[in-house]
């Protein structure tokens, strides 16, 4: 049986640390931090940890769809690309291999249509 990326990365604890670093980077980036100005960041960290855990083969996800979660934000390609770059750099900081980062970002890229221009 193949090990899921969720297990390979170290499960919820490690994913939670990656998510914390990811949002630290986002909040330092003026091109995207305005999307989170009125966000309860503790809740957002929990939510994103749950979503990424699900996307990598961990626990079930019960949150809103990507399209619903991004409605009204009008994210543009440059925003999406910056956010993906922050995710890549956050994963790399925690020692995730290039191949695994590519696999993760391919999953994120598959959501582009559900996130942009909403």
């Amino acid at each position: 049986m193949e090990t899921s990326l969720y297990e390979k990365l170290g499960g919820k604890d490690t994913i939670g640390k990656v998510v914390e670093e990811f949002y630290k980077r986002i909040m330092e980036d003026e091109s995207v931090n305005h999307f989170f100005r009125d966000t309860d960041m503790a809740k957002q960290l929990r939510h994103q940890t749950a979503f990424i855990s699900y996307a990598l083969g961990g626990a079930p996800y019960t949150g809103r769809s990507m399209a619903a979660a991004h409605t009204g934000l009008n994210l543009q390609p440059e925003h999406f690309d910056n956010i993906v770059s922050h995710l890549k750099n956050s994963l790399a900081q925690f020692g995730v291999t290039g191949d695994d980062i590519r696999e993760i970002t391919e999953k994120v890229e598959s959501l582009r249509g559900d996130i942009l221009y909403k």
Side-chain angles (χ1 to χ4, degrees), residues 58-79:
Y61 175 73
T62 58
R64 296 183 296 164
S65 70
M66 284 293 106
H70 293 90
T71 296
L73 296 177
N74 195 28
L75 281 145
Q76 301 297 305
E78 61 271 14
H79 302 130

Side-chain angles (χ1 to χ4, degrees), residues 17-33:
K17 291 175 186 173
V18 170
V19 168
E20 285 178 22
E21 178 61 25
F22 170 65
Y23 278 106
K24 176 181 164 272
R25 291 170 184 264
I26 285 175
M27 297 311 287
E28 292 171 352
D29 181 348
E30 292 183 15
S31 73
V32 292
N33 66 9

Side-chain angles (χ1 to χ4, degrees), residues 34-50:
H34 61 279
F35 292 111
F36 299 94
R37 281 199 185 112
D38 297 324
T39 301
D40 176 343
M41 290 309 291
K43 181 179 176 182
Q44 183 68 18
L45 290 168
R46 286 190 307 272
H47 171 78
Q48 192 70 289
T49 299

Side-chain angles (χ1 to χ4, degrees), residues 4 6 8 11 20 28 31-34 37 42 45 47 54-55 74 77 80 83 91 100 106 111-112:
S4 70
Y6 175 80
K8 192 173 181 182
E20 285 178 22
E28 292 171 352
S31 73
V32 292
N33 66 9
H34 61 279
R37 281 199 185 112
L45 290 168
H47 171 78
Y54 160 76
N74 195 28
F80 186 89
I83 290 169
L91 289 162
D100 288 343
E106 284 174 7
L111 300 170
R112 184 180 282 265

